[in-house]
Amino acid sequence: MTSHPFARTIRSTPEGLLWEPGERWVRGYKGDVAVVDSRHPVLVWEPGVPVPLYAFPQGDVRTDLLRPAKNPRTGAHSGSRIFYDLDVDGESVENVAWTFPADDLSGYIAFEWFRHWDSGLDHWYEEEEEIFIHPRDPHKRVDALPSSRHVVVEIAGRVVADTRRPVLVFETSLPTRYYIPREDVRLDLFTATDHHTGCPYKGTAEYWSWSGAGDVPRNIVWSYPDPLPAVAPVKGLLAFYNEAVDLTVDGERQERPVTPFTASLRA
């Protein structure tokens, strides 16, 4: 069978890396200095890491700003060959970049984004859109769909939300999230916190914690006050962690899923 001419080609290396040529124009800045400016990046998936990162041809990187790391990391990024520190305008950032041991990726340099807050560039752009937290995965979808399903949320046996006008967010590899209008949530039973998280698909979220009794994780409720355009329907709506509340949809009690968030909710 002949493959489709536009089919994606994900390649693997003996070291367990997956990688794929990218087509987006990607730029990374430290302050006002463009450290990376590439129209030929590659996306790399490391073993056991759910999100990709970018690696760039050396010719698209300001290698004159990189120095061999003074305190190179050990055991990080699939046994990377060389780590680099970045020196820009008198400021040094340790272990900001590295090369992979894979022969397929020789000649490429990878960079930290924002998952490690102490080491990374300040701004990243795909085309003219600034991207936060980590690169978007081209094989992942996030769809926000208005619905008329009947959704009821309970905590410690108490109904805290009841709606027939949710917005359902379907995100690859995660359970469906049910975003509920504030008018249909007993927000008086929760306390706003100073916790915030960022998502490259949805934006920056704010959180609330349960004020009542029971063994309930903190920051159980979140909302995107200013979501990215792709999920605009969730603006200002409230969502609960399915992993830690009792959720009933159209009269059917949902099982609590086990996700990458489960362990952190128990912490």
Side-chain angles (χ1 to χ4, degrees), residues 27 32 43 83 110 123 133 148 172 186 188 214 222 228 230 250:
R27 287 157 291 156
D32 295 327
L43 280 161
F83 278 91
H123 301 281
I133 311 304
S148 59
T172 304
R186 288 289 308 275
D188 59 302
W222 73 88
L228 296 175
D250 292 338

Side-chain angles (χ1 to χ4, degrees), residues 56-266:
F56 308 95
Q58 290 186 12
D60 296 343
V61 176
R62 286 284 305 273
T63 54
D64 59 303
L65 301 176
L66 298 179
R67 307 284 183 269
K70 295 179 181 177
N71 301 294
R73 298 166 105 184
T74 58
H77 295 299
S78 303
S80 301
R81 283 176 173 159
I82 303 174
F83 278 91
Y84 296 97
D85 296 341
L86 174 70
D87 293 322
V88 177
D89 295 333
E91 181 180 356
S92 181
V93 184
E94 291 190 350
N95 294 302
V96 72
W98 66 93
T99 60
F100 285 113
D103 289 339
D104 286 3
L105 297 172
S106 63
Y108 287 84
I109 298 177
F111 277 79
E112 294 288 7
W113 280 49
F114 303 104
R115 286 186 298 115
H116 303 283
W117 295 99
D118 59 343
S119 59
L121 301 187
D122 296 330
H123 301 281
W124 286 98
Y125 296 87
E126 291 179 349
E127 302 300 331
E128 298 303 325
E129 182 175 355
E130 187 167 7
I131 306 299
F132 301 95
I133 311 304
H134 61 76
R136 293 171 178 168
D137 189 328
H139 303 282
K140 187 171 186 176
R141 284 188 64 97
V142 180
D143 297 309
L145 305 180
S147 177
S148 59
R149 291 184 185 233
H150 185 199
V151 178
V152 178
V153 182
E154 297 176 68
I155 294 179
R158 187 169 187 177
V159 174
V160 298
D162 188 331
T163 190
R164 293 181 182 273
R165 48 181 184 151
V167 171
L168 276 56
V169 172
F170 300 93
E171 184 170 353
T172 304
S173 76
L174 288 177
T176 303
R177 300 300 190 188
Y178 299 87
Y179 284 76
I180 301 172
R182 294 189 182 217
E183 298 83 1
D184 296 341
V185 178
R186 288 289 308 275
L187 199 54
D188 59 302
L189 301 176
F190 299 85
T191 302
T193 73
D194 60 1
H195 184 61
H196 292 83
T197 59
C199 171
Y201 306 100
K202 297 185 286 293
T204 300
E206 56 188 8
Y207 286 78
W208 290 259
S209 288
W210 171 241
S211 299
D215 184 17
V216 180
R218 286 180 50 79
N219 302 307
I220 195 72
V221 186
W222 73 88
S223 179
Y224 290 95
D226 188 21
L228 296 175
V231 292
V234 307
K235 181 179 177 67
L237 305 188
L238 299 162
F240 294 79
Y241 276 109
N242 312 36
E243 298 89 336
V245 301
D246 294 316
L247 184 68
T248 302
V249 180
D250 292 338
E252 182 178 348
R253 179 62 64 90
Q254 307 294 298
E255 292 186 8
R256 294 187 180 184
V258 176
T259 73
F261 297 102
T262 301
S264 61
L265 287 169
R266 292 173 179 167

Side-chain angles (χ1 to χ4, degrees), residues 2-69:
T2 301
S3 62
H4 190 283
F6 298 109
R8 294 185 179 277
T9 302
I10 297 181
R11 307 164 192 181
S12 62
T13 76
E15 296 78 11
L17 297 166
L18 300 177
W19 66 279
E20 177 180 51
E23 297 180 350
R24 303 182 185 190
W25 177 23
V26 180
R27 287 157 291 156
Y29 288 81
K30 184 63 179 176
D32 295 327
V33 177
V35 179
V36 176
D37 189 333
S38 180
R39 290 169 171 80
H40 303 286
V42 297
L43 280 161
V44 182
W45 289 263
E46 296 182 286
V49 180
V51 299
L53 52 82
Y54 274 121
F56 308 95
Q58 290 186 12
D60 296 343
V61 176
R62 286 284 305 273
T63 54
D64 59 303
L65 301 176
L66 298 179
R67 307 284 183 269

